[in-house]
Amino acid sequence: MSQEESQAEASVAERIGLKEPSSRRLRHWRRWLALIIVGLALLGVLFIAPSREDGPLFKTAEARRGDLRVEVTATGKLQPVTQVDVGTEVSGTILSVEVGFNDRVAQGQVMAKLDPDKSRAEERQSAAALALAEAQVDEAQATVSETGRKLGRTRDLIKKRLASPEELDTAEAAAERAVAALAVARAKVDQAQAKLDSDRRTLEKTVIRSPIDGIVLNRVVEPGQTVAASLQTPVLFTLAENLTQMELKVDVDEADVGQVEEGQTAVFTVDAYPSRTFPATITQVRFAPETVNGVVTFGALLAVDNADLSLRPGMTATADILVREESDVLLVPNAALRFMPPRQEGAKARPNLLSMLLPRRSRGTRQPSESTEKKPAGAVVWVLRDGVPASVDIETGFTDGARTQVVSGELEAGTEVLVGVEQGGRTP
């Protein structure tokens, strides 16, 4: 073949695509090389990556030795040890008010006065009735003397046969009536005296005095106000005897009252001082229940020292009562006592290329140990043994709400116990 024919064939082949320029061939080779590298990388991942089985990833916590403080929380209100409501037994108009809020008063000090005009008039009337009754006694005494002398003369005449028996009977009856009238007059004196004493007492009650040494917490009366004490004694003042010593009355839940005893210590907080705690001591746990909205509680009184007067009556307080304190005991989280491992059914291994080419004996689905079929009696915690949850029986003691004391069982300090399951976790 001549050179001209060879050039013509090459030109034709190039036109119909049977022969590409060298630059195009290089680009094609580069593309194929990139695809081959990616394919080898994917095969390497499939061969090297181990097979994994679907299963939960457990959360664990360590069982540790430590100190345990068991506390009972209760809420209540502060109140004075001695609080007295001062009222009036007399109706009338308030003439003056002598004390105000936060004033210190002494026993017997005048706090308010009522208009005494009506009471004073009744007292004078009773005094006059007493004077009249005493005059009637004198009159009756004179009558007794007169009838007595007449009876004596009649008896002398009878002895001399100068008077008839009928006259003697009349004289004796008159003398007896005079004695009876004297007794009636004396009784009226006692009655009038009692009425006078009552009216004088009523007059004294128009001046309202403090029954104790204390502080005025509340005053609900003003001069010119009319008070009526006919049906119920109106309260005019509220006094606290001593605010340096106060009481905290808290409501203890019926589930906790069995742990609360007299003499136990406590600390409490109030909203006015959120960063400050106050000490207290239980002085009384009452037997009488209190039911509010179906919830049964029992009242407990705590003695509070308020020397700086920072606490005030009526404040709401939250108290933490220390009912038990244990040192160096084995503790587990309460979440471990509530935990129950989930059952895994129908879980299958995720296949890879190596497992398909080289099949291995199936390990089956990982399940908790046989103890998961039936929950043992008593308290139970769960631990991992060979990657499988296994139960451990324990005997529990006291709890502080977050941790529980382990009294006995095959659980040692440092053991990781199961407390939960990670959401969407897997285990190899």
Side-chain angles (χ1 to χ4, degrees), residues 146-305:
E146 178 186 3
T147 55
R149 288 192 298 270
K150 185 176 181 180
L151 177 60
R153 289 194 299 270
T154 302
R155 286 174 178 169
D156 290 340
L157 293 175
I158 287 293
K159 292 178 181 180
K160 296 178 180 180
R161 298 181 183 275
L162 297 175
S164 64
E166 290 79 2
E167 292 176 337
L168 178 61
D169 294 339
T170 301
E172 289 177 346
E176 291 175 356
R177 284 193 296 272
V179 172
L182 177 60
V184 171
R186 287 174 175 171
K188 289 182 178 180
V189 170
D190 293 339
Q191 186 178 20
Q193 183 65 57
K195 181 65 167 61
L196 178 60
D197 292 342
S198 175
D199 290 339
R200 284 176 177 173
R201 181 60 181 157
T202 300
L203 181 60
E204 292 176 358
K205 288 180 180 179
T206 59
V207 179
I208 300 171
R209 301 178 183 273
S210 173
I212 60 172
D213 296 335
I215 299 176
V216 179
L217 297 181
N218 193 21
R219 187 188 86 176
V220 293
V221 66
E222 297 294 338
Q225 182 177 339
T226 301
V227 292
S230 57
L231 299 178
Q232 185 176 3
T233 301
V235 176
L236 308 182
F237 303 92
T238 299
L239 304 181
E241 184 175 19
N242 182 14
L243 290 183
T244 60
Q245 298 295 325
M246 300 184 68
E247 285 183 340
L248 172 60
K249 181 182 180 297
V250 297
D251 298 323
V252 181
D253 190 87
E254 61 176 325
D256 300 325
V257 72
Q259 305 178 66
V260 180
E261 300 175 355
E262 294 182 10
Q264 291 175 339
T265 59
V267 294
F268 66 90
T269 59
V270 295
D271 292 339
Y273 310 100
S275 60
R276 181 179 174 185
T277 58
F278 299 86
T281 304
I282 294 182
T283 58
Q284 185 183 74
V285 181
R286 294 178 177 174
F287 289 98
E290 299 177 6
T291 304
V292 178
N293 297 328
V295 178
V296 179
T297 58
F298 293 85
L301 295 182
L302 289 79
V304 178
D305 184 9

Side-chain angles (χ1 to χ4, degrees), residues 9-274:
E9 290 178 0
S11 177
V12 173
E14 185 175 334
R15 288 179 180 179
I16 64 176
L18 296 178
K19 187 175 182 181
E20 294 181 352
S22 59
S23 60
R24 289 187 180 180
R25 291 198 300 271
L26 182 59
R27 285 197 298 270
H28 282 298
W29 279 108
R30 287 177 180 176
R31 291 174 184 173
W32 280 107
L33 182 60
L35 291 174
I36 291 171
I37 292 173
V38 172
L40 291 176
L42 291 175
L43 289 175
V45 171
L46 292 176
F47 273 98
I48 296 173
S51 64
R52 303 175 64 90
E53 296 178 355
D54 293 334
L57 180 61
F58 295 104
K59 298 178 182 179
T60 62
E62 184 180 357
R64 299 180 179 179
R65 301 196 71 86
D67 299 334
L68 181 68
R69 288 172 57 90
V70 182
E71 296 178 338
V72 171
T73 301
T75 59
K77 290 186 178 297
L78 287 162
Q79 60 189 23
V81 176
T82 302
Q83 179 173 309
V84 178
D85 292 331
V86 181
T88 176
E89 301 177 31
V90 181
S91 300
T93 303
I94 300 296
L95 194 63
S96 64
V97 179
E98 308 294 333
V99 296
F101 290 92
N102 298 340
D103 286 351
R104 293 185 176 274
V105 295
Q107 185 176 5
Q109 179 179 337
V110 176
M111 302 178 66
K113 294 180 180 179
L114 279 75
D115 187 353
D117 290 345
K118 180 180 179 181
S119 299
R120 189 174 290 122
E122 292 176 349
E123 187 265 346
R124 289 197 302 267
Q125 183 178 0
S126 297
L130 176 61
L132 177 60
E134 290 174 344
Q136 291 175 345
V137 169
D138 294 339
E139 181 182 3
Q141 183 66 53
T143 302
V144 168
S145 298
E146 178 186 3
T147 55
R149 288 192 298 270
K150 185 176 181 180
L151 177 60
R153 289 194 299 270
T154 302
R155 286 174 178 169
D156 290 340
L157 293 175
I158 287 293
K159 292 178 181 180
K160 296 178 180 180
R161 298 181 183 275
L162 297 175
S164 64
E166 290 79 2
E167 292 176 337
L168 178 61
D169 294 339
T170 301
E172 289 177 346
E176 291 175 356
R177 284 193 296 272
V179 172
L182 177 60
V184 171
R186 287 174 175 171
K188 289 182 178 180
V189 170
D190 293 339
Q191 186 178 20
Q193 183 65 57
K195 181 65 167 61
L196 178 60
D197 292 342
S198 175
D199 290 339
R200 284 176 177 173
R201 181 60 181 157
T202 300
L203 181 60
E204 292 176 358
K205 288 180 180 179
T206 59
V207 179
I208 300 171
R209 301 178 183 273
S210 173
I212 60 172
D213 296 335
I215 299 176
V216 179
L217 297 181
N218 193 21
R219 187 188 86 176
V220 293
V221 66
E222 297 294 338
Q225 182 177 339
T226 301
V227 292
S230 57
L231 299 178
Q232 185 176 3
T233 301
V235 176
L236 308 182
F237 303 92
T238 299
L239 304 181
E241 184 175 19
N242 182 14
L243 290 183
T244 60
Q245 298 295 325
M246 300 184 68
E247 285 183 340
L248 172 60
K249 181 182 180 297
V250 297
D251 298 323
V252 181
D253 190 87
E254 61 176 325
D256 300 325
V257 72
Q259 305 178 66
V260 180
E261 300 175 355
E262 294 182 10
Q264 291 175 339
T265 59
V267 294
F268 66 90
T269 59
V270 295
D271 292 339
Y273 310 100

Side-chain angles (χ1 to χ4, degrees), residues 313-361:
M315 283 185 169
T316 301
T318 301
D320 294 323
I321 305 170
L322 180 61
V323 299
R324 189 85 177 185
E325 191 169 17
E326 299 288 344
S327 300
D328 192 27
V329 295
L330 183 60
L331 303 172
V332 295
N334 284 3
L337 300 174
R338 298 189 296 265
F339 176 76
M340 174 62 68
R343 289 186 58 85
Q344 298 286 321
E345 294 183 359
K348 296 182 179 179
R350 188 181 64 185
N352 58 22
L353 184 58
L354 182 61
S355 62
M356 290 186 293
L357 295 176
L358 299 175
R360 60 180 177 177
R361 187 176 59 183

Side-chain angles (χ1 to χ4, degrees), residues 400-417:
D400 62 0
R403 301 174 302 169
T404 297
Q405 174 189 5
V406 178
V407 178
S408 63
E410 299 180 357
L411 189 67
E412 298 179 354
T415 303
E416 294 288 338
V417 294

